């Protein structure tokens, strides 16, 4: 079943499961004991759809503090046991926030790329990791020598990820933040150039997948606590939403005939596979 929380005795090394209100579908991970020892905070939910919950150090009832459904890259209590520092990407980019444990109010600290904060218990200091990655794409030929080097594709000084070749030629779509925001880009090897396909604001794009005819690309856009399925027409750049309103999705792919899409959704609780007819705009 899902991961659950336990207590470790530092005196004798014994481990005891905590009796508390658990979830049947989501893991509970990364527990943090408050400085006053009265409460335990933890992250519930799989990446990148997590929130922070708290409970008494003795277990029992659980209270949800945030409703972000975001990638939480670290959190820690402040010495007052009433606030936390939280790294979240619910507004599109990973940033550091001050969280009120009682009200759930979040205050942005304006630190983009900040992750894994740790607060000093004895001083008014906190440390965190700040990411600025240069990640590039490379291609490798199956018929090349085992020690052959890869060939760089559409490189920049920022991040390129999630590459996907078109089904009927050598065009390559990928996600990049070279323009500031996370967007889909198209690389055409013949022209040796890349151009931007999408123009979203404050969201993170993932998992692009081509339609069988090579005319559209399906992808996930996540931000503001939502995760939605979109597609873009490669020639015109026009986008449309493919998932139902209020539906949170993880991945999407076209059927082999291109008449429907499959995606993962938690609309009924646990993550399940769903099929959506493009013509009827209905899901099952």
């Amino acid at each position: 079943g899902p991961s659950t929380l336990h207590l470790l005795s530092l005196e004798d090394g014994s481990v005891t499961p905590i009796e508390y209100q658990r979830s049947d579908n989501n893991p509970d991970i990364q527990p943090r004991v408050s400085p006053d020892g009265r409460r335990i905070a933890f992250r519930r939910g799989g990446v990148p759809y997590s929130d922070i919950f708290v409970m008494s150090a003795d277990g029992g009832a659980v209270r949800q503090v945030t409703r972000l459904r975001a990638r939480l890259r670290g959190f820690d209590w402040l010495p007052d046991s009433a606030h936390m520092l939280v790294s979240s990407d619910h507004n599109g980019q990973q940033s550091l926030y001050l969280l009120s444990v009682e009200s759930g109010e979040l205050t942005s600290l304006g630190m983009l790329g900040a992750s894994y904060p740790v607060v000093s218990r004895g001083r008014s200091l906190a440390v965190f990791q700040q990411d600025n990655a240069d990640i590039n794409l490379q291609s490798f030929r199956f018929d090349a020598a085992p020690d052959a080097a890869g060939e760089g594709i559409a490189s920049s000084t920022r991040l390129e990820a999630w590459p996907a070749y078109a089904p009927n030629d050598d065009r390559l779509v990928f996600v990049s933040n070279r323009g500031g925001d996370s967007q889909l880009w198209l690389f055409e090897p013949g022209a040796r150039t890349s151009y931007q396909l999408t123009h979203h604001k404050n969201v993170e794009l993932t998992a692009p997948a081509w339609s069988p005819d090579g005319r559209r690309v399906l992808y996930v856009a996540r931000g503001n606590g939502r995760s939605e399925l979109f597609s873009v027409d490669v020639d015109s750049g026009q986008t449309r939403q493919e998932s139902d309103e209020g539906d949170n999705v993880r991945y999407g792919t076209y059927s082999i005939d291109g008449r429907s899409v499959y995606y993962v959704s938690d609309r009924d609780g646990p993550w399940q596979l769903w099929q959506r007819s493009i013509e009827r705009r209905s899901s099952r």
Side-chain angles (χ1 to χ4, degrees):
S3 301
T4 58
L5 305 181
H6 296 66
L7 290 176
L8 168 67
S9 171
L10 299 182
E11 296 179 352
D12 59 15
S14 61
V15 176
T16 305
I18 303 176
E19 296 298 328
Y20 68 101
Q21 189 177 14
R22 300 173 181 172
S23 169
D24 294 332
N25 304 314
N26 292 303
D28 296 332
I29 57 177
Q30 298 176 348
R32 303 284 187 269
V33 180
S34 61
D36 61 12
R38 298 175 57 189
R39 290 186 288 185
I40 297 173
F42 60 93
R43 180 164 73 84
R44 174 171 286 179
V47 172
Y49 302 95
S50 300
D51 276 294
I52 292 177
F53 292 70
V54 296
M55 65 179 173
S56 166
D58 298 324
V62 167
R63 179 172 66 88
Q64 184 171 350
V65 179
T66 66
R67 299 186 182 276
L68 304 175
R69 296 183 55 80
R71 177 181 283 110
L72 303 183
R73 301 188 69 190
F75 62 95
D76 199 13
W77 290 91
L78 266 62
D80 63 3
S81 294
H83 296 83
M84 296 183 196
L85 287 184
V86 179
S87 173
S88 171
D89 72 342
H90 64 279
N91 277 331
Q93 298 188 56
Q94 206 74 37
S95 301
L96 202 60
Y97 296 85
L98 178 67
L99 170 66
S100 169
V101 178
E102 295 305 320
S103 68
E105 180 181 0
L106 284 170
T107 303
S108 175
L109 300 181
M111 299 177 184
L112 297 179
S115 303
Y116 306 112
V118 177
V119 180
S120 170
R121 293 295 175 96
R123 303 175 63 191
S124 298
L125 292 174
V127 294
F128 59 88
Q129 169 183 318
Q130 192 163 35
D131 300 326
N132 185 15
D134 179 12
I135 300 175
N136 298 300
L137 306 178
Q138 283 196 323
S139 67
F140 293 85
R141 294 185 60 88
F142 287 129
D143 57 359
D147 59 348
E151 178 185 357
I153 302 177
S155 298
S156 76
T157 58
R158 298 298 296 275
L159 180 148
E160 280 76 49
W162 294 97
Y165 274 117
N168 43 19
D169 53 45
D170 55 0
R171 291 174 301 163
L172 183 77
V173 70
F174 60 95
V175 176
S176 177
N177 63 355
R178 62 180 64 188
D181 291 317
S182 175
Q183 305 290 352
L184 283 189
W185 288 71
L186 183 73
F187 175 67
E188 294 184 327
R192 303 296 299 174
T193 187
S194 302
Y195 61 90
Q196 188 174 329
L197 285 179
T198 60
H199 297 83
H200 292 277
K201 295 293 184 182
N202 299 321
V203 296
E204 180 185 4
L205 306 191
T206 58
W210 288 85
S211 62
D213 60 8
R215 297 176 60 184
R216 302 192 70 85
V217 176
L218 197 66
Y219 60 96
V220 176
R222 190 167 60 83
N224 295 317
R226 309 300 305 171
S227 184
E228 299 169 314
L229 194 65
F230 284 84
S231 70
V232 59
D233 182 275
V234 175
D235 291 334
S236 68
Q238 292 185 338
T239 62
R240 71 182 182 212
Q241 186 172 333
E242 300 289 0
S243 57
D244 292 326
E245 288 292 336
D247 202 5
N248 279 302
V249 302
R250 267 185 167 165
Y251 306 100
T253 186
Y254 284 97
S255 62
I256 197 168
D257 60 7
R259 298 174 62 183
S260 60
V261 295
Y262 294 91
Y263 59 93
V264 178
S265 169
D266 67 344
R267 65 166 66 182
D268 287 343
W271 293 100
Q272 303 282 7
L273 189 63
W274 288 75
Q275 180 187 28
R276 180 171 177 81
S277 168
I278 295 177
E279 181 180 351
R280 296 192 303 269
R281 311 293 290 174
S282 61
S283 302
R284 67 179 183 91

